[in-house]
Amino acid sequence: MKVVVIGAQWGDEGKGKIVDYLAKEAQIIIRFSGGANAGHTIVIGNEEYALHLIPSGVLYPDKIVILGAGMVIDPAALFTELAMLEERGIDTTGRVFIADRAHLVLPRYIKIDRERDKARKKPIGTTGRGIGITYSMKSDREGIRIADLAGEDKLDELETEDKEFLAPYREKLLDMSIDLSAYLVHRKNSQILFEGAQGTLLDLDLGTYPYVSSGMSCAAGAAVGGCVGPRALDKVLGVFKAYTTRVGNGPFPSEFDSDAEDGLCRFIRDTGREYGATTGRPRRCGYLDLVALRYACLTNSIDSLVITHLDVYDTLEEIKACIAYRIGDRLVEHFPASIEALSRAKPVLRSFPGWKKSLSNALTYEEFPLAAMEYIEFIERFCETPIDIVSVGYDRKETIIRKSPWTRS
């Protein structure tokens, strides 16, 4: 069975924890897009791991993890991350592979990335990791892939500084490389988990362009970056937070008002630890945007949703969610493509009573307070999509499974 996990908002939804949790039932975990601009934080007891390139399932000693063809890989960042895992007792020998069609990030691209964003009239707010430039070079057919390291022709086209940078990594990368499509042919009956990066609203085609990432962070990207056909995918899970966050510039209709809701913003940011795992930047925070979430469900054929950070609301008297936008004198109930329209959109909010009780000790969904269940069930009705997993904390054990994604519908 092949299950896809994607972000249903602007990234940072808690996908890393969910992939890590679900990986115990998988044999292979494939990260299908993005690069070192992503950040997944995994908490196991008192141990915390920040991963940027390597799939979250690597923390299980018996899992195969693969960096897919849709990824762009900074060799220096990759081997630094592998060294960190080894130092902390995670043996990765013989179980971390790279699709030979994946592209490489060069230091020169990182410099160009930072300079280009500074020069924009309206900066996007990239992480400055060279991701966008690498994808641009890929589209311009000027990029270099893992497979190209096996010969001399492509290397001869590179700048001297590029060749010098790649030299110490060349053989190590080739030793880790596989033809991913051929590899999976012989593992058709395996449980395979496809891990996305960023989120739907940062997808190059579906997101708030141009304030997006440069890769495919939608469910369709799992087929392309995972080297399988779309009909081979069995289920799509969309992960979202009980509220909404965004990093960088771009429209954010449900964002907390900087003056009127400053205290609420600080509470959510501090309680939810809303600071980037990659950059450390504070995230912009706002109400749960159900218009955007429903759009994510529709454009990704999401079979079921995963709600995270629900416990952040444990102490609040009242909770609000955005159910429509007011744009000028129009009530808008869909997610517009126009950045201008989204930038002018004001949230239409619906209030819900808080539950004023800790959710972290609940072992089953039935133990939740009625108000928490009503909030979840309203989201299900609005998006016409079931919420099958509820996360009420950072640790693996703080996860409620209402229906396992590894069961066929």
Side-chain angles (χ1 to χ4, degrees), residues 359-368 397 399-401:
L359 300 179
S360 297
N361 296 322
L363 299 177
T364 65
Y365 180 70
E366 288 68 30
E367 293 178 45
F368 280 10
K397 64 184 179 182
T399 310
I400 306 295
I401 305 294

Side-chain angles (χ1 to χ4, degrees), residues 88-152:
R88 298 186 63 180
I90 307 298
D91 184 7
T92 62
T93 306
R95 59 189 192 90
V96 179
F97 299 102
I98 308 172
D100 57 8
R101 287 175 167 81
H103 279 246
L104 291 166
V105 179
L106 301 174
R108 183 163 50 90
Y109 300 170
I110 296 172
K111 183 180 178 182
I112 295 169
D113 189 8
R114 293 171 181 173
E115 291 175 348
R116 183 172 293 182
D117 205 44
K118 284 181 182 177
R120 287 188 171 101
K121 290 183 178 179
K122 294 182 178 180
I124 293 170
T126 73
T127 59
R129 300 293 175 117
I131 307 304
I133 301 302
T134 309
Y135 278 117
S136 294
M137 297 294 279
K138 176 180 177 177
S139 297
D140 287 342
R141 286 147 295 182
E142 297 286 348
I144 180 166
R145 306 172 302 159
I146 298 290
D148 299 325
L149 298 176
E152 300 298 331

